Amino acid sequence: MRRIAGIVLAVLLIGGVVAAVVAGRDNGDQGTATKTVRGVVGSEKTEFFADPQVVDALAAKGYTVQAEPSGSWAMEELDLAGYDFAFPSSKAPADALAAKYKAQQPLPRPFYSPLVAVAHRGAAEVLQANGLATLDEAHRGVLRMNAYLDAARDDRTWQQLKGSEKYGELRGTLYIASTDPVTSNSGALYLAAASYVDNGGKVVASDADIGRTAPLLRKLITVQGAQQSSSDGAFRDFVSGAGNPLVLVYESQVASLLGQGQGIDDLVVLYLDTTATSDHTVVPLTDEGRALGQLLSTDPVLRKLAARHGFRPQDAAAEFTAATADHTDYLMPKLNVRQVPVPTSEVLHEMARRARG
């Protein structure tokens, strides 16, 4: 009888384990199961999606994100079959992709970031001494776009600026190093901001506007020679001490670096007094892609993490202010500069094409 009872007990135990496994498959494991969504993202967002805290926050909501970097404008040339979303760095390339793939409007816009120029202190002080910039904090100032564009029209060199003789690295033509506007969003937005100023404070919208602003934009681009396709590469070069004295980047890249405790002692952030804002916009290619875009826009944890990576969540200045409270000598908690509209994707493409010559 004891042997029979043992056999029966063993059968019951095995049956209980099997039942628990089946129940776990059917019910209990849903807290850890995730849907894998695949997308192409602007290169400046790769660190955000690779952040273990972001990965965990997404997993808690049921998502595993496979994010592949690409230039925002280069996404138009990719075959996105099999992808769930594209996440370029501004509205213009997003609108072009949405039209191409017939994505339903409105498109989620989780966060944004303005363009800034980074400089070493010596260069920033020379710019201020010559009326091209104003410095209002130890590591922060404003670049006067009208004055800078006048200098570009006149092909001014650093040597022509008073005070530059103290700095051996300040030689050659004065210019802001930007990315290739044909393939990179930050380069295209640079043209948007400069053309707005050159066009008398109006968005370039017609062939006549494009023709009128083309000579200056060509100067801004051709003086640079070969350009990088990613703002990440240009920013890394600047941080390492290589490259041009003035480099165009996103505010988010500076904020992220400072948040990691990797500040540069003589770094100065120059906000363009007329700037274009990079509205990071999700183009949903599947229902899962749209759900992810909405989640990034609304989830408090993910919004907070985006702010920690230097992005400004839409309609929530307090989150960015809290995340960057220790770095207000570098960053503007509130943007006290003009943020201008961006031309359509068709106009930006033509402007970039003519600027490249």
Side-chain angles (χ1 to χ4, degrees):
M1 290 296 293
R2 285 197 298 270
R3 182 178 299 174
I4 293 171
I7 293 171
V8 170
L9 179 61
V11 170
L12 289 174
L13 286 173
I14 292 170
V17 170
V18 171
V21 171
V22 172
R25 286 175 180 170
D26 290 343
N27 302 305
D29 287 345
Q30 290 184 9
T32 56
T34 60
K35 301 174 185 175
T36 298
V37 291
R38 184 182 177 204
V40 288
V41 305
S43 59
E44 68 290 327
K45 291 186 285 290
T46 53
E47 286 189 6
F48 171 75
F49 282 107
D51 183 338
Q53 288 185 282
V54 173
V55 172
D56 289 345
L58 288 168
K61 295 296 182 178
Y63 291 94
T64 296
V65 176
Q66 295 180 349
E68 302 172 18
S70 169
S72 292
W73 287 105
M75 291 179 190
E76 285 191 58
E77 306 304 320
L78 299 177
D79 179 3
L80 297 182
Y83 287 84
D84 296 289
F85 70 97
F87 200 175
S89 302
S90 71
K91 185 175 181 294
D95 284 344
L97 285 167
K100 180 177 179 179
Y101 291 96
K102 298 179 174 56
Q104 181 184 351
Q105 297 284 350
L107 305 178
R109 291 187 297 129
F111 39 74
Y112 67 98
S113 186
L115 292 175
V116 298
V118 289
H120 296 289
R121 184 180 304 281
E125 290 177 349
V126 169
L127 292 173
Q128 176 172 244
N130 289 269
L132 297 169
T134 57
L135 303 181
D136 49 27
E137 292 285 348
H139 298 281
R140 189 185 78 202
V142 174
L143 183 72
R144 299 174 58 196
M145 284 292 283
N146 265 312
Y148 165 69
L149 294 178
D150 284 343
R153 288 187 193 93
D154 296 338
D155 299 314
R156 293 183 74 181
T157 65
W158 282 101
Q159 294 96 311
Q160 291 173 322
L161 303 182
K162 62 183 179 182
S164 64
E165 65 278 359
K166 295 185 293 184
Y167 306 99
E169 70 275 14
L170 299 182
R171 294 290 181 269
T173 304
L174 168 66
Y175 67 88
I176 298 174
S178 64
T179 54
D180 185 346
V182 174
T183 60
S184 171
N185 183 67
S186 60
L189 290 182
Y190 178 41
L191 298 187
S195 65
Y196 183 91
V197 176
D198 192 44
N199 199 38
K202 295 182 294 183
V203 178
V204 171
S206 65
D207 288 341
D209 291 342
I210 294 172
R212 185 164 48 249
T213 58
L216 175 61
L217 300 186
R218 190 175 300 113
K219 276 195 172 188
L220 297 178
I221 299 303
T222 56
V223 69
Q224 301 183 44
Q227 293 176 286
Q228 297 202 45
S229 60
S230 164
S231 58
D232 272 357
F235 188 49
R236 283 195 298 269
D237 286 348
F238 176 84
V239 170
S240 70
N244 198 59
L246 269 177
V247 179
L248 190 81
V249 299
Y250 294 116
E251 177 195 53
S252 59
Q253 292 169 293
V254 180
S256 179
L257 184 80
L258 295 172
Q260 297 168 23
Q262 299 180 31
I264 308 169
D265 289 342
D266 69 341
L267 169 68
V268 177
V269 182
L270 296 174
Y271 286 79
L272 314 186
D273 66 5
T274 302
T275 192
T277 295
S278 179
D279 283 311
H280 295 266
T281 304
V282 176
V283 181
L285 304 176
T286 65
D287 290 342
E288 289 79 8
R290 178 167 292 278
L292 175 67
Q294 296 294 348
L295 184 66
L296 293 170
S297 301
T298 59
D299 183 74
V301 175
L302 288 167
R303 287 169 63 90
K304 184 177 179 180
L305 289 169
R308 282 180 50 187
H309 278 266
F311 300 110
R312 293 178 180 256
Q314 297 285 356
D315 305 318
E319 291 170 320
F320 181 82
T321 300
T324 59
D326 294 336
H327 307 297
T328 54
D329 52 339
Y330 291 90
L331 305 170
M332 283 186 181
K334 182 179 179 180
L335 284 177
N336 296 317
V337 294
R338 177 184 291 177
Q339 300 174 69
V340 303
V342 176
T344 65
S345 61
E346 293 82 3
V347 170
L348 272 178
H349 272 307
E350 182 61 17
M351 289 167 58
R353 187 187 69 79
R354 294 199 194 185
R356 290 294 294 160

